[in-house]
């Protein structure tokens, strides 16, 4: 209930910013304002996660697919700014209003990952995915997928108000410093990682 109320408050307060970002995206490049992708939710339910589009249209079927690097040519000018400020995640407030996500939890993985999950990895689906989470504030995209899983499961097993408050504080630091927006891997490493995921 708290997630819903806070998400609704933020949507109302940030409505002008939503409009400004949408206009900037339409002026900057062709394609839809909102990017949506099938992701894994609670207990493996599949839902569409929403983001402001930061790449050229149909980027998933070009270059390195789902994986991006800092100098990825598919990222638009406005998209680069949105990513650095993490403003591309704002539409996920509507995912929270729908009940698909929470503010805090494991980041929702692409739906294609489900068939590859081990019994251990399935545990990260025992809680709603979040906009930010324990792995997000402890490495974000610098972490490999295998490194994120134990952090997500640790959070799922140790959820508490104290930890959530710590995540919120660390999230503010990550956002202000634009930490971990990209993996830091070179193009070859990005391509290899994409093949594994």
């Amino acid at each position: 209930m708290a997630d819903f109320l806070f998400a609704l408050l933020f949507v109302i307060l940030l409505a002008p910013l939503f409009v400004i970002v949408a206009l900037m995206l339409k002026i900057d490049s062709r394609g839809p304002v909102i990017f949506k992708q099938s992701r894994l939710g609670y207990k493996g339910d599949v839902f569409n996660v929403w983001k402001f589009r930061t790449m050229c249209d149909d980027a998933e079927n070009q270059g390195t697919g789902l994986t991006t690097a800092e100098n990825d040519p598919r990222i638009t000018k406005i998209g680069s700014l949105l990513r650095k400020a993490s403003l591309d995640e704002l539409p996920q407030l509507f995912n929270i209003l729908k009940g698909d996500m929470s503010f805090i939890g494991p980041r929702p993985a692409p739906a294609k990952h489900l068939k590859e999950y081990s019994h251990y990895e399935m545990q990260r689906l025992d809680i709603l995915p979040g906009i930010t989470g324990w792995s997000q504030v402890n490495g974000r995209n610098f972490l490999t997928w295998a490194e994120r899983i134990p952090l997500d499961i640790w959070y799922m097993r140790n959820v508490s108000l104290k930890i959530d408050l710590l995540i919120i504080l660390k999230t503010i630091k990550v956002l202000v410093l634009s930490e971990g927006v990209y993996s830091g891997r070179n193009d070859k490493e990005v391509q290899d990682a994409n093949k594994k995921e």
Side-chain angles (χ1 to χ4, degrees):
M1 188 61 175
D3 275 339
F4 180 89
L5 292 175
F6 277 111
L8 182 60
L9 176 63
F10 283 129
V11 166
I12 293 170
L13 293 176
L14 297 174
L17 181 58
F18 275 85
V19 174
I20 292 170
V21 171
L23 289 173
M24 291 172 67
L25 285 172
K26 293 304 289 184
I27 292 171
D28 182 52
S29 61
R30 294 180 180 178
V33 169
I34 299 295
F35 166 78
K36 62 181 180 179
Q37 185 182 69
S38 295
R39 296 290 180 103
L40 293 174
Y42 180 64
K43 296 297 184 182
D45 287 341
V46 176
F47 71 98
N48 281 326
V49 72
W50 296 319
K51 295 185 177 186
F52 281 124
R53 180 178 57 82
T54 60
M55 306 179 82
C56 62
D57 199 20
D58 198 38
E60 289 179 280
N61 298 314
Q62 302 174 36
T64 53
L66 297 178
T67 310
T68 58
E70 186 168 5
N71 297 315
D72 195 317
R74 298 171 300 166
I75 299 174
T76 65
K77 292 178 181 178
I78 296 300
S80 179
L81 295 175
L82 293 178
R83 280 173 172 255
K84 287 179 181 177
S86 293
L87 293 177
D88 57 317
E89 311 285 356
L90 283 180
Q92 286 163 54
L93 290 170
F94 291 98
N95 283 122
I96 294 177
L97 291 177
K98 278 190 63 190
D100 293 327
M101 292 179 66
S102 175
F103 277 102
I104 301 174
R107 286 296 296 160
K112 69 173 188 173
H113 284 187
L114 184 60
K115 61 185 178 183
E116 301 169 4
Y117 270 23
S118 66
H119 178 71
Y120 172 72
E121 292 169 332
M122 286 291 289
Q123 294 178 76
R124 78 186 298 272
L125 303 178
D126 287 341
I127 191 171
L128 277 174
I131 292 179
T132 187
W134 191 240
S135 63
Q136 285 292 98
V137 299
N138 284 287
R140 203 175 178 184
N141 290 324
F142 280 119
L143 301 176
T144 64
W145 183 248
E147 291 170 332
R148 294 180 201 177
I149 296 289
L151 292 172
D152 289 336
I153 293 174
W154 180 90
Y155 172 76
M156 184 273 298
R157 293 175 176 174
N158 296 277
V159 173
S160 70
L161 179 59
K162 180 180 178 181
I163 292 172
D164 283 354
L165 290 174
L166 177 61
I167 289 173
I168 291 171
L169 291 174
K170 294 186 76 171
T171 296
I172 294 171
K173 174 178 176 286
V174 167
L175 293 177
V176 170
L177 299 179
S178 297
E179 294 178 343
V181 175
Y182 300 100
S183 67
R185 289 172 281 182
N186 60 38
D187 290 340
K188 176 66 166 58
E189 290 171 321
V190 165
Q191 290 173 1
D192 290 344
N194 190 58
K195 289 176 184 176
K196 294 175 183 176
E197 298 181 0

